[in-house]
Amino acid sequence: MFHKSKHKLIFKRIFIWLLYFLSGFILYTKEGNLNAFLIIFTRILYPLSIFWLQIRIKRMSKFLPIDPSMSTSQLWFNILPVIASLLTVIFSITNLFLYLLKVLFSY
């Protein structure tokens, strides 16, 4: 039973990473389909978000490490990368889907 669930987990991770890398490829090689500010924001933070996600996955740490004893600056230091990475993922995948819709419906 564990063997099947491990294969499903690996397949899901590969699918997610391929989708994210494809969205980055479209983000950097094609004209953006979102607002220019959002495209620039996403192009700047896309490599950082991959780096940040790899660190989180490798360390097996919590996605959002918040502790009640943290100061305000520590909270912001931990929350800002999460927010920036999530926005980058949302904007890059949205740009990918808009690009695919544009390609599909242009013919």
Side-chain angles (χ1 to χ4, degrees), residues 32-58:
N33 296 310
L34 296 173
N35 185 349
F37 172 75
L38 297 178
I39 293 296
I40 292 170
F41 172 81
T42 307
R43 283 181 180 165
I44 291 171
L45 290 180
Y46 181 83
L48 296 174
S49 69
I50 291 175
F51 178 69
W52 183 82
L53 287 171
Q54 283 295 87
I55 289 173
R56 293 291 178 184
I57 290 170
K58 188 170 185 167

Side-chain angles (χ1 to χ4, degrees), residues 7-21:
H7 284 301
K8 284 183 181 181
L9 179 66
I10 290 172
F11 180 71
K12 287 178 186 177
R13 284 187 181 176
I14 289 173
F15 176 74
I16 290 169
W17 279 110
L18 285 176
L19 180 69
Y20 196 52
F21 286 134

Side-chain angles (χ1 to χ4, degrees), residues 45 69 86:
L45 290 180
S69 65
L86 287 176

Side-chain angles (χ1 to χ4, degrees), residues 6-102:
K6 187 174 182 179
H7 284 301
K8 284 183 181 181
L9 179 66
I10 290 172
F11 180 71
K12 287 178 186 177
R13 284 187 181 176
I14 289 173
F15 176 74
I16 290 169
W17 279 110
L18 285 176
L19 180 69
Y20 196 52
F21 286 134
L22 179 63
S23 68
F25 177 75
I26 298 299
L27 180 70
Y28 285 106
T29 59
K30 307 295 181 188
E31 186 176 330
N33 296 310
L34 296 173
N35 185 349
F37 172 75
L38 297 178
I39 293 296
I40 292 170
F41 172 81
T42 307
R43 283 181 180 165
I44 291 171
L45 290 180
Y46 181 83
L48 296 174
S49 69
I50 291 175
F51 178 69
W52 183 82
L53 287 171
Q54 283 295 87
I55 289 173
R56 293 291 178 184
I57 290 170
K58 188 170 185 167
R59 286 187 184 171
M60 296 284 194
S61 60
K62 288 191 228 174
F63 189 67
L64 192 60
I66 295 178
D67 188 351
S69 65
M70 291 179 157
S71 67
T72 304
S73 61
Q74 289 173 327
L75 286 172
W76 280 112
F77 184 75
N78 285 323
I79 290 173
L80 285 178
V82 173
I83 292 171
S85 293
L86 287 176
L87 288 175
T88 303
V89 168
I90 291 168
F91 294 151
S92 65
I93 291 177
T94 302
N95 187 50
L96 171 69
F97 286 138
L98 290 175
Y99 173 77
L100 292 175
L101 287 174
K102 186 173 129 181

